[in-house]
Amino acid sequence: MEHFEDIVIEYDDYWHFIQVKTRNAERGSWKLTDAIDGLKSLYRAFHETSHLEAKYSLFIEGAISSRDELNALAPGKTDISDEIIQKVSQKLEIEDSKCRVFLKAVTVHPNQPPRTHITSHNIHLMGQVSASTTICEIESLEEKLTDEILRAMSCDRLENLLYHYIAKVEEIEDGNRSRIDAKRLTASNITDILGSLTSGDYPLLLRITDLNAPTPTKLEKKLIAGGATERIIKNAKELRANASIREAEILSSGFFMEEEKIVDAQLRLETLANSVVERFEDSDKPAKTIWLELRKEITQTVSSVDPNRLYKQDPYLLLGAVCGLSDECRIDWGVKIA
């Protein structure tokens, strides 16, 4: 982010150098002369990296004038005229032959969303990824992602160090490696920010391996007393852990009234769970029957027990939240224990 180029994207098999240029709408449509500064910046990258697999793009806010020469560089371009080559080579102060090779590698992308619409455009795109996520959650995640972009942009520029890194012409020292890493936005830290949004409509349940506490938890004791099998107990502990992760995401998000909404969802789940327990507490090994019946009841009533979609109306996360309530001694599994 923000080197000589505004954005550099690293793919498995090539690099993509991007300049982004904006202008107020009252200045009218773009012409070739307006885009020269962006082309100059891209040529600097091209000069250093033309021996590599790379693409070079200029993204501009607004349209190109219908008859202007700049259209020759838009997607779907064909031959670039000698007249354009000469105009650009003079502005860039390079030979016509070099300019021709450069412009063939460049694509101009007009009609980018206006600056004033960027936030709503991003929120719209994120909403398409996960239609079940609330607008408050998406707005909060968009703000966090923007903050991370701004952080990367604000770090020290890398000068020729970036090209050394790209071309792997030398070993990067630890101090310089940290400077490079500070400018990078990786799949890993983006996923950390977006959390369960990246997994679609429902969060991906994690297999929790460290479930063996020194002493049994209240959840385990209550399930054991109710005659639950080892399989049920293991699943209950994993689902409880996944629900806790989701609750931590919500509480750290800054969403509006998040604590109140969690309390509301827990009360709904507690009421539902206790009604199921009442029906089966006199049966033999009630925990087994309650576990199956509760899973069925939650699946059938997800919209009413999770109206604010805190748990994404995911029956398994909601069952995990019930297990968390059991750990808080708010429900049992058919047998009351001290």
Side-chain angles (χ1 to χ4, degrees):
M1 307 298 302
E2 276 287 336
H3 176 56
F4 293 130
E5 291 63 52
D6 295 318
I7 306 165
V8 181
I9 306 179
E10 179 181 359
Y11 292 92
D12 288 339
D13 53 353
Y14 70 95
W15 292 79
H16 191 179
F17 297 84
I18 299 174
Q19 275 287 315
V20 180
K21 294 298 180 184
T22 64
R23 62 187 289 161
N24 294 334
E26 60 265 23
R27 294 185 60 188
S29 300
W30 287 77
K31 299 178 181 178
L32 179 62
T33 51
D34 303 320
I36 289 298
D37 284 347
L39 294 175
K40 279 183 179 179
S41 295
L42 286 174
Y43 181 74
R44 182 168 43 210
F46 176 81
H47 180 69
E48 296 287 347
T49 62
S50 59
H51 60 291
L52 303 173
E53 289 293 327
K55 295 182 179 180
Y56 308 86
S57 295
L58 175 61
F59 284 75
I60 57 177
E61 175 186 14
I64 299 174
S65 293
S66 59
R67 296 185 179 180
D68 190 77
E69 297 152 317
L70 189 57
N71 284 291
L73 303 180
K77 60 188 178 184
T78 54
D79 292 334
I80 301 171
S81 70
D82 292 339
E83 186 179 358
I84 297 175
I85 300 294
Q86 290 172 2
K87 285 184 178 181
V88 176
S89 63
Q90 288 175 3
K91 293 291 186 180
L92 271 53
E93 299 180 348
I94 60 176
E95 298 174 0
D96 286 2
S97 58
K98 290 183 179 179
C99 186
R100 185 180 300 276
V101 174
F102 166 59
L103 291 183
K104 283 185 177 180
V106 171
T107 304
V108 176
H109 299 267
N111 304 314
Q112 300 305 310
R115 285 160 289 170
T116 53
H117 297 177
I118 288 294
T119 297
S120 58
H121 182 70
N122 290 343
I123 289 171
H124 172 71
L125 292 175
M126 294 168 72
Q128 289 181 325
V129 173
S130 183
S132 67
T133 304
T134 64
I135 187 63
C136 291
E137 185 172 1
I138 291 177
E139 287 175 344
S140 176
L141 293 173
E142 195 278 338
E143 184 176 351
K144 286 185 176 182
L145 187 58
T146 300
D147 287 345
E148 180 66 7
I149 292 171
L150 293 174
R151 180 208 59 75
M153 289 171 62
S154 68
C155 294
D156 293 340
R157 294 192 176 216
L158 303 176
E159 300 177 348
N160 287 335
L161 180 60
L162 175 66
Y163 301 130
H164 294 162
Y165 167 68
I166 291 173
K168 298 180 173 62
V169 297
E170 61 182 34
E171 290 295 322
I172 305 297
E173 297 177 356
D174 290 344
N176 286 333
R177 169 65 67 174
S178 63
R179 289 178 61 200
I180 292 169
D181 289 343
K183 298 291 282 182
R184 299 177 75 223
L185 218 61
T186 67
S188 176
N189 61 13
I190 290 174
T191 300
D192 289 343
I193 293 169
L194 297 182
S196 57
L197 181 73
T198 58
S199 64
D201 286 348
Y202 297 105
L204 294 176
L205 297 179
L206 304 176
R207 180 170 293 282
I208 310 299
T209 55
D210 185 17
L211 296 171
N212 298 315
T215 57
T217 64
K218 294 182 179 66
L219 169 64
E220 291 176 80
K221 291 179 179 178
K222 292 175 184 295
L223 285 168
I224 291 170
T229 63
E230 286 294 324
R231 287 192 295 271
I232 289 177
I233 293 171
K234 181 176 183 295
N235 288 157
K237 291 162 69 176
E238 286 189 325
L239 292 180
R240 178 197 58 194
N242 277 283
S244 296
I245 292 170
R246 177 60 181 164
E247 289 163 2
E249 282 184 356
I250 295 295
L251 290 172
S252 65
S253 66
F255 305 155
F256 180 64
M257 294 180 64
E258 64 272 14
E259 290 189 26
E260 291 88 342
K261 290 177 180 177
I262 287 181
V263 169
D264 173 76
Q266 289 178 340
L267 181 57
R268 291 167 185 266
L269 288 168
E270 181 180 358
T271 303
L272 176 63
N274 282 333
S275 68
V276 174
V277 171
E278 286 288 332
R279 295 208 310 268
F280 299 104
E281 62 182 351
D282 294 330
S283 62
D284 184 42
K285 296 184 177 181
K288 295 172 67 175
T289 307
I290 292 168
W291 176 263
L292 295 172
E293 191 65 22
L294 188 56
R295 183 169 64 85
K296 185 189 303 181
E297 289 274 352
I298 289 175
T299 301
Q300 293 172 349
T301 59
V302 287
S303 59
S304 59
V305 294
D306 188 22
N308 294 303
R309 294 184 177 275
L310 295 184
Y311 299 93
K312 300 244 182 183
Q313 295 189 354
D314 184 331
Y316 294 97
L317 280 181
L318 289 164
L319 187 54
V322 170
C323 294
L325 295 175
S326 180
D327 241 348
E328 296 174 14
C329 296
R330 292 170 62 176
I331 67 167
D332 57 56
W333 297 88
V335 176
K336 297 184 184 298
I337 60 174

